[in-house]
């Protein structure tokens, strides 16, 4: 069975799908810019993707001592933050869920600073700033990476497609048509984008690449046994 993976996997990840024929095609390109420096204390920092963490700390080498309370989206993002020595106060599955949780926390603590610093990419959605605005919370955005679409037209008919971001879905559809084959998404935000175009959408059990790979095995093996 043939699976389209819309990003490059590492060896360990690839080994999870040894029973399948894989085609790995990156549908987006990430760039991190230059000389992004945080010079002042950040009281409440929000990271909604692993790429934002990589940009701020791995690429631009910002001092973790500048960052106080941290909120994030996704287990991979949480893992990267903890790996560099930062504690995560709250992790959510998507930006909307995080925004709701933040709004709830701000409403319970009237003396808290109603301001967050959001480290994000150029294609971020508006769920978080809109919900924050509705709750009187000031959002300062820092665009710390840029996502570019790199659509590739594919002639192969795949038994499943794996998506890891909403931008990956949009890029794929610029050159390829939707179909009824299973589509596996890394999280709810990606799935919402996919559901608009695909009929057979599944969400991984958690927001990690490995979980997406396990889910596609589960889905395809289940279809085979029907």
């Amino acid at each position: 069975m043939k699976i389209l993976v819309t990003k490059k996997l590492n060896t360990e990840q690839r080994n999870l799908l040894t029973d399948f024929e894989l085609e790995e095609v990156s549908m987006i390109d990430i760039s991190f810019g230059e000389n992004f420096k945080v010079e002042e204390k950040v009281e409440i920092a929000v990271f909604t993707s692993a790429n934002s963490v990589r940009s701020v700390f791995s690429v631009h080498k910002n001092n973790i001592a500048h960052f106080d309370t941290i909120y994030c989206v996704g287990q991979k993002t949480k893992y990267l933050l903890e790996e560099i020595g930062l504690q995560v106060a709250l992790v959510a599955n998507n930006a909307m869920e995080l925004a709701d949780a933040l709004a709830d926390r701000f409403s319970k603590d009237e003396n808290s600073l109603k301001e967050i610093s959001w480290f994000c990419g150029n294609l971020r959605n508006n769920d978080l700033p809109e919900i924050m605005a509705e709750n009187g919370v000031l959002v300062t955005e820092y665009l710390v990476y840029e996502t570019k679409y790199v659509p590739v037209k594919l002639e192969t008919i795949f038994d499943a497609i794996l998506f890891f971001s909403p931008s990956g879905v949009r890029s794929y559809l610029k050159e390829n048509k939707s179909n009824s084959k299973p589509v596996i998404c890394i999280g709810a935000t990606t799935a919402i984008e996919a559901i608009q175009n695909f009929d057979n959408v599944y969400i991984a059990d958690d927001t990690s690449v490995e979980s997406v790979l396990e889910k596609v095995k589960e889905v395809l093996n289940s279809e085979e046994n029907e």
Side-chain angles (χ1 to χ4, degrees), residues 1 15 41 55-56 90 152 157-158 173 178 193 207:
M1 302 183 85
N15 287 340
K41 189 77 169 178
S55 178
V56 173
L90 177 70
V152 178
I157 297 175
F158 296 97
L173 290 168
S178 59
E193 189 72 33
T207 51

Side-chain angles (χ1 to χ4, degrees), residues 91-108:
V91 58
N93 291 315
N94 55 67
M96 183 175 289
E97 181 182 303
L98 180 60
D100 287 337
L102 286 171
D104 184 58
R105 290 198 175 196
F106 281 123
S107 69
K108 290 178 179 176

Side-chain angles (χ1 to χ4, degrees), residues 7 22 32 94 128 135 148 157 171 184 223:
K7 68 172 282 150
L22 304 183
F32 297 105
N94 55 67
L128 189 143
N135 288 272
K148 293 182 179 178
I157 297 175
S171 182
I184 317 299
E223 287 191 348

Side-chain angles (χ1 to χ4, degrees), residues 107-119:
S107 69
K108 290 178 179 176
D109 185 0
E110 293 183 358
N111 297 319
S112 66
L113 177 69
K114 292 200 172 186
E115 179 179 352
I116 64 172
S117 297
W118 183 23
F119 299 88

Side-chain angles (χ1 to χ4, degrees), residues 38 40-48 52-53 56-57 63-64 66-73 77 81 86-91 98 102 106 113 115-120 128 138-140 142:
V38 176
E40 300 178 347
K41 189 77 169 178
V42 178
E43 296 291 342
I44 301 176
V46 173
F47 294 88
T48 46
S52 58
V53 178
V56 173
F57 300 106
N63 189 341
I64 65 171
H66 287 310
F67 295 80
D68 192 3
T69 305
I70 309 290
Y71 299 93
C72 77
V73 169
T77 310
L81 288 163
L86 285 166
Q87 290 189 334
V88 177
L90 177 70
V91 58
L98 180 60
L102 286 171
F106 281 123
L113 177 69
E115 179 179 352
I116 64 172
S117 297
W118 183 23
F119 299 88
C120 56
L128 189 143
L138 175 65
V139 178
T140 301
Y142 296 93

